[in-house]
Amino acid sequence: MLSGHLDQLEAESIHILREVAASFAHPVILYSVGKDSSVLVHLARKAFSPGKIPFPLVHIDTTYEYPELIEFRDWFVSQIGARLIVHINEEAVAAGTNPYALGTAKCCSLLRTRALVEGLEKLGADAAIGGARRDEERSRAKERVFSFRNRFGQWDPKDQRPELWNLYNPKVDPGESMRVFPLSNWTEFDVWRYIEREEIPIVPLYFAAPREVYVRGNSLIPVKANVRPLPGEQPQIRLCRMRSLGCTPCSGAIESDADTVPKIIDELFLFRRSERENRVIDHDQDGSMEIKKREGYF
Amino acid sequence: MQTTLRFSTAGSVDDGKSTLIGRLLFDTNGAYDDQIEAVRNSKVNRSGRELDLSLLTDGLRAEREQGITIDVAYRFFATAKRRFRIADTPGHEQYTRNMATGASTSDAAIILVDAIKGVSRQTLRHATISSLLGIEHLIFAVNKMDAMDWREDVYAGICAELRRHCSRWPGARLHYLPVSALDGDNVARRGGRAAWYNGPSLLDLIETLEISPAPAPFRFPVQYVIRPGDGFRGFAGRVASGTVAPGDTVAVLPSGRRATVRGVHTFDGPQPAAHEGQSVTLILDEEVDISRGDLISLDRARPELSRHLEADLVWMAEEPLDLNFPYLLRAATRELSAMVSSIHWSLDPATGEQLPAHTAQLNDILRISLETTQPLAFDPYSRCRETGSFILIHPRTNRTIAAGMIVRGRPQQDQKDARLAFDLGPVTPGERAERYGHLPAVVSSPNPDLLERQLFEHGALVVRWPSAPPPGLESTGAIIIAPGGLLVPEHGALEFLENAGILIRRENFKSGEGI
Ligand SMILES: Nc1nc2c(ncn2[C@@H]2O[C@H](COP(=O)(O)OP(=O)(O)OP(=O)(O)O)[C@@H](O)[C@H]2O)c(=O)[nH]1
Ligand SMILES: [Mg+2]
């Protein structure tokens, strides 16, 4: 019998990753560089050891990424000898897409969702492995491990394939694809405990440090070149950290002094609010995550 | 710490499943404040209370608009005693396949019965599916007791009716309790309103349920061959049941070849053994032909092997079942073409009656005979879930159209020889090549004794013939050493035969897969 809870989750995720490798011609890992992605990549290394990860890591760069994240990404990828492919929706970037002019929903749809669907199409990817978890959000709680996407990269939550036991149905016709979520059954707690146990490196933004931020209600928006202050807003120094990483203008830090993984885990016990709460885009309207997912967001 | 308890909800539409789960999460602090605020701010509220807790799991817009659950929601929560994974499933008949999805990975099912409406056909259908899926605990929660003034006779009547059906769910352990999901009585805490009820609350019950899966012998479906190119060759998979350790003799099904386990490789180093549930990579001592879809078992406790199976089937497609149509069957990591050759009966979920049937419609539960194109290594579902379950996929639409649980191979009364001929059919040239590791050929050598020994040690089927071999001898699949055959040099004979395409090159065993 498997001893621990984390061992069970790990074994299940490895099983899923190997199913993808065996069932698809051109699978990729969607590597967002966040904590969940870092866990995912670590699991992929385990799944195919002593061989290399048989898929490229694809990063959809919105051009509103934290500089610390890009720096970490390049270091980490070279460290483990993985293949990285960066995709940007150049057309939208050239057209000056930004959240201030278009609103967060539109901006996100172009720089993230569109870029993702387009990037996968360009690569001819028939499977995209993502680090999304069911405990993140209530529409994600509805998703299959192998989640079918039609020719337009869209999800139809009302007509998902039955998924019994661990028998995943990987069949897709040309042009269609699968999104696969090996971390489906992990919680935020599990992810952090696993990062601690396995000593997985993560972007330093997750750890508390004094940072220059704009204070907007409960959200602390770190000061970056591409973040516009509201009228009259002055940066302040706060001891804070990111709980979830998104684009610079749209994700907030939380006040915290947790500067190590064990301290972060202790802090989790105190949280009464979910991790995506400080991501503006999840709350533009009722069911906004579901709407984005239907369009192809992961 | 106890293991995670995985449970699913079941029962007819509107019996209060989602409300119950919402209540359980709410009362155990299993939901975050912002999630509760989202429920509070929702435009929909059908509960007549301040919070419509069903909205915590009904995460799709269509679900909130229509007030029903459409697909399974998976939620996680923990108490001081245990971790839980909940699958809140839909009650609506149209979405029974989603209920089966949630139930297939559960240790316990909470089957709700609406105290106002009583036991329905759908209640019994879900209980039947849960029991077929081998769920160990069926918890009948009689809900909406508040609306029946917590009358003991209402509860007793429903329990009595359920008990009349219970012989249809053999093997499952049954539990009964009265609850009000709306008020939370007997959900996460004992309610004060039913003095006549002395049993545990739902939470007490699920915190202490014991799960005791029957031990099964070692089974290892091969998922993937790992060959990084430095001579390492390992077979990656997840141990479906049992344990294996270096030194154990294993059999590879369906070919039946034997080998010895040399090592259990993981990223974290070699392991002394591989246990049930672990994802590992096995290294064998011989260069046996193994690929994805093969099943590795202990040699002394092999699974059954047959092309003819009897199974319970839940039909999950809108289109009716086509007898003798070649569907795609997936069992563990193996994929085969299979057809339903006959339907023994269709089960009436309300009465448990076995009715004759010639086809199946959406949600039907059947006992069928199935025939596969190649032999399938399997165990009865009741012995091992992983090697006893399968899904059928429609080859044209790619949809998963049925879930199956193997009851047995072909009935036992037949004689062994007849059974082999029927189950496995005549030995084909392909099977011979796979077993012997070579194609048939006539060869000659300056040193025939040495060549025979070399081939013999290699595991080939080798025959000496003093003169030109008679026609037909080659169809045995043998390599025949006879005068006039292809001249094989004395040195490097095996390489020569490999280059000539007679011996199958070891690396070629795995074409296309592996890294
Ligand atoms: N009086 C009373 N009403 C309840 C109770 N539990 C649920 N309800 C009501 O029953 C209706 C259906 O509740 P849901 O929780 O959505 O039912 P469900 O079983 O999840 O329905 P489906 O998932 O669509 O099958 C809602 O209006 C609830 O408010 C209860 O304990 N007492
Ligand atoms: Mg429901």
Side-chain angles (χ1 to χ4, degrees), chain B residues 443-445 447-455 481 488 493 497:
Chain B
V443 297
S444 62
S445 166
N447 188 346
D449 288 340
L450 175 63
L451 182 61
E452 183 185 7
R453 172 53 72 191
Q454 281 173 323
L455 285 170
I481 304 177
V488 179
L497 287 168

Side-chain angles (χ1 to χ4, degrees), chain B residues 12-19 46-47 54 58 67-69 89-92 143-144 146-147 180-182:
Chain B
S12 190
V13 66
D14 273 354
D15 283 355
K17 299 177 287 297
S18 301
T19 307
R46 298 184 309 133
S47 69
S54 70
D58 283 344
I68 58 164
T69 303
T89 80
H92 197 291
N143 187 33
K144 308 194 187 180
D146 58 291
S180 166
L182 208 53

Side-chain angles (χ1 to χ4, degrees), chain B residues 38-105:
Chain B
V39 167
R40 199 183 298 277
N41 297 333
S42 171
K43 288 174 228 86
V44 213
N45 183 342
R46 298 184 309 133
S47 69
R49 299 289 198 275
E50 193 194 336
L51 282 179
D52 185 344
L53 290 170
S54 70
L55 301 179
L56 268 177
T57 57
D58 283 344
L60 301 175
R61 277 155 62 103
E63 293 180 323
R64 296 195 287 276
E65 281 155 16
Q66 296 172 36
I68 58 164
T69 303
I70 292 172
D71 211 329
V72 205
Y74 294 94
R75 297 280 315 216
F76 309 85
F77 79 105
T79 63
K81 295 209 180 100
R82 199 175 214 173
R83 272 196 196 82
F84 298 95
R85 192 214 67 183
I86 311 171
D88 180 33
T89 80
H92 197 291
E93 187 164 339
Q94 187 187 344
Y95 304 118
T96 302
R97 54 177 172 245
N98 297 334
M99 175 271 169
T101 292
S104 68
T105 49

Side-chain angles (χ1 to χ4, degrees), chain B residues 304-324:
Chain B
E304 294 180 46
L305 192 65
S306 181
R307 290 200 310 115
H308 295 266
L309 309 167
E310 218 177 289
D312 288 318
L313 198 73
V314 181
W315 191 253
M316 305 190 297
E318 262 85 26
E319 73 244 35
L321 184 157
D322 250 345
L323 279 181
N324 299 319

Side-chain angles (χ1 to χ4, degrees), chain A residues 2 11 15 18-19 46 49 138 141-142 144 159-160 163 165 168-169 171 272-274 286 290, chain B residues 31 33-34 37 55 61 63 71 74 98 101 104 223 265 268 279 292 330 335 381 398-400:
Chain A
L2 266 184
H15 173 258
R18 288 168 169 173
E19 283 301 284
K46 287 199 168 192
S49 155
R138 61 181 171 178
K142 294 271 162 183
R144 299 282 189 259
D159 190 23
Q160 301 194 80
E163 186 168 86
W165 304 289
Y168 306 111
N169 174 352
K171 302 287 172 207
R272 290 302 316 141
R273 311 189 72 83
S274 66
D286 179 43
E290 179 186 342
Chain B
D33 291 350
D34 52 310
E37 276 157 33
L55 301 179
R61 277 155 62 103
E63 293 180 323
D71 211 329
Y74 294 94
N98 297 334
T101 292
S104 68
Q223 282 188 281
H265 170 87
D268 301 298
S279 282
R292 174 176 170 82
R330 249 201 103 172
E335 233 174 71
Y381 183 79
N398 291 336
R399 298 194 61 111
T400 306

Side-chain angles (χ1 to χ4, degrees), chain B residues 149-162:
Chain B
D149 297 323
W150 285 91
R151 272 167 45 201
E152 187 176 8
D153 60 317
V154 171
Y155 174 69
I158 288 172
C159 291
E161 180 170 359
L162 289 168

